[in-house]
Amino acid sequence: RDTAARLLFERKDNAAIPLLAGQLARSRDPLARLHSLYALRGLEALTEKDVLAATGDSDVRVREHGVRLAATLIQDGNIPDALWQRLAALSADRSPWVRMELAFTVGNIERDSTAAFLANIARNSVGDRAVQFAVLSSAADRAHDLFSELVMNPYFSSTPQGWDLVSELAELTGAENSSGMDDALLTIQDAELSELESFTLASRLGEGLSAGGQNFASAAPGGKDR
């Protein structure tokens, strides 16, 4: 099978495309389906239909790689609606490998609900530090939205791993979005937190600001202390 895949790639035989798509959809062997998926990718013939088949596969390995290859269908930060809905359904997948790959892929998609999507992956991965690292790696430019989603969830933020992620997001919010400090501080105030927890998150915001060469005074409107 490896040799066949290599020869297909070298020869760029487009006559194999419908056969590979059929094997991806109908083969009983998960490894054959996985090889078909990558053979189609090698022939530059991978379609939305193929990725939908892979992300809906019964085998965890095929789903994981289907999610990874879904990233190849992202154009200008967007992805087809049907595939977006399929990925959203996988945020509660039983496999942490699928959820981790999902966090990496979703981080490349620019939609209004991307932060909520990532937050959902994090909530479904309480205790799984690897998945939460993947969520954090995809938080760029949306750290404040993701922070707000998670800190307002008492169950999530009360777990040790959840608190670690919320704290890291607070610092990232400070580093990336000094203009949003008022909103971030109001979010902390509105969350169900103890005085110590609120102080800790505010301190992490300050650390983020400091990393960007600012402080709470300079981040205030007009750069004045209040």
Side-chain angles (χ1 to χ4, degrees):
R1 191 181 290 121
D2 288 339
T3 301
R6 176 176 57 80
L7 292 173
L8 285 170
F9 177 76
E10 290 175 354
R11 296 173 181 176
K12 299 294 183 182
D13 186 358
N14 290 337
I17 293 173
L19 299 175
L20 290 166
Q23 183 166 263
L24 172 62
R26 293 185 291 274
S27 176
R28 295 183 179 180
D29 184 352
L31 188 56
R33 298 196 297 274
L34 186 59
H35 278 185
S36 298
L37 185 67
Y38 277 95
L40 287 166
R41 170 60 177 160
L43 292 171
E44 298 181 353
L46 193 67
T47 66
E48 179 185 351
K49 181 179 179 181
D50 299 327
V51 175
L52 283 169
T55 52
D57 200 276
S58 60
D59 186 84
V60 62
R61 295 168 298 175
V62 180
R63 289 200 306 280
E64 177 190 347
H65 286 275
V67 170
R68 178 180 299 177
L69 290 178
T72 66
L73 299 182
I74 299 172
Q75 294 185 352
D76 297 323
N78 208 351
I79 200 167
D81 287 341
L83 190 50
W84 173 260
Q85 292 168 8
R86 171 61 58 76
L87 294 178
L90 291 174
S91 62
D93 194 276
R94 66 180 182 275
S95 167
W97 296 102
V98 171
R99 284 182 270 114
M100 182 167 64
E101 200 63 55
L102 187 62
F104 289 130
T105 294
V106 171
N108 296 309
I109 301 173
E110 297 296 335
R111 289 199 175 200
D112 292 340
S113 54
T114 297
F117 193 154
L118 288 167
N120 202 33
I121 296 171
R123 284 191 290 266
N124 288 320
S125 306
V126 175
D128 197 315
R129 193 59 175 153
V131 178
Q132 292 190 12
F133 272 128
V135 170
L136 189 64
S137 75
S138 292
D141 299 324
R142 54 177 74 95
H144 175 232
D145 291 336
L146 187 52
F147 169 72
S148 298
E149 287 273 352
L150 293 176
V151 77
M152 296 301 290
N153 185 302
Y155 168 72
F156 182 83
S157 59
S158 68
T159 65
Q161 295 86 355
W163 178 255
D164 286 344
L165 181 58
V166 166
S167 300
E168 288 162 346
L169 286 169
E171 186 169 341
L172 189 57
T173 296
E176 289 187 346
N177 188 22
S178 61
S179 62
M181 283 303 98
D182 283 349
D183 288 342
L185 290 170
L186 285 173
T187 298
I188 293 173
Q189 180 179 314
D190 292 340
E192 297 181 16
L193 301 171
S194 67
E195 185 175 339
L196 176 59
E197 289 169 335
S198 297
F199 177 79
T200 299
L201 292 183
S203 295
R204 293 296 293 268
L205 280 170
E207 290 172 14
L209 283 169
S210 179
Q214 297 196 67
N215 54 42
F216 282 111
S218 62
K224 297 178 180 179
D225 199 358
R226 292 164 296 167

